[in-house]
Amino acid sequence: MGSSASSQRPDKVQDIDDPPSPTEAAAVDYASLSNQEWKNRLTPEQFYITRQKGTERAFTGEYWNTKTPGTYHCICCDTPLFESSTKFDSGTGWPSYYQPIGKNVLSKLDLSIIFMPRDEVICTTCSAHLGHVFDDGPPPTGKRYCINSASLRLRPE
């Protein structure tokens, strides 16, 4: 690939360890980013999960058993999605939360598996696929937001 590959990268490439500031994130039109631009911003696993609606294997993701206090942000656009105080052990092998932050996630019907309709969870800012939500969570909401670790970045307190 050599040096010519780097000259084809977009001007605003997000370093995986250095997400955009809130001002930069607000300036990006995520709907206009091509698959190639997303591939330049994300690891192959992050791209597969967030842009192609993939799923990581249970008990393998970075955050499935994490107890660190903080806020979980979208890996694609840095939108805050879940507080660690709403995280619970669902026994499923994926990070699970009973409540998102504000209206930063939305859900829509997912009919991709025949005979198993479910609600997909999506970041409202960049439309990243995060996981699914189910009605078998704890009080006070009764919801279980079952989220792929690869779609998240934890910002410790």
Side-chain angles (χ1 to χ4, degrees):
M1 294 201 6
S3 63
S4 63
S6 64
S7 66
Q8 295 173 3
R9 292 171 63 94
D11 291 336
K12 296 296 275 182
V13 174
Q14 172 184 337
D15 183 321
I16 291 173
D17 294 322
D18 185 24
S21 70
T23 305
E24 290 173 324
V28 175
D29 178 10
Y30 293 104
S32 71
L33 293 180
S34 69
N35 278 340
Q36 188 57 53
E37 288 170 311
W38 282 118
K39 285 178 181 179
N40 289 343
R41 291 170 172 259
L42 303 168
T43 68
E45 181 184 34
Q46 291 166 343
F47 178 80
Y48 167 68
I49 288 168
T50 63
R51 308 324 303 177
Q52 297 181 311
K53 300 183 181 194
T55 300
E56 63 200 10
R57 287 190 351 251
F59 304 101
T60 64
E62 179 178 2
Y63 301 124
W64 78 269
N65 199 27
T66 299
K67 310 253 188 291
T68 305
T71 304
Y72 291 86
H73 291 242
C74 178
I75 198 70
C76 295
C77 67
D78 204 41
T79 296
L81 302 173
F82 300 96
E83 294 291 347
S84 61
S85 61
T86 67
K87 190 172 191 272
F88 68 98
D89 182 2
S90 65
T92 62
W94 286 279
S96 296
Y97 310 85
Y98 62 80
Q99 181 175 313
I101 294 173
K103 296 182 189 284
N104 292 351
V105 304
L106 62 90
S107 63
K108 70 176 189 175
L109 186 60
D110 176 0
L111 298 172
S112 63
I113 299 177
I114 299 172
F115 305 117
M116 194 173 128
R118 50 198 180 151
D119 289 321
E120 176 186 12
V121 178
I122 301 165
C123 174
T124 57
T125 302
C126 69
S127 300
H129 169 78
L130 305 171
H132 293 87
V133 62
F134 303 94
D135 290 325
D136 60 1
T141 65
K143 299 289 186 187
R144 173 173 52 97
Y145 289 84
C146 192
I147 307 298
N148 291 287
S149 289
S151 68
L152 302 172
R153 172 181 285 114
L154 173 61
R155 298 288 176 98
E157 286 182 352

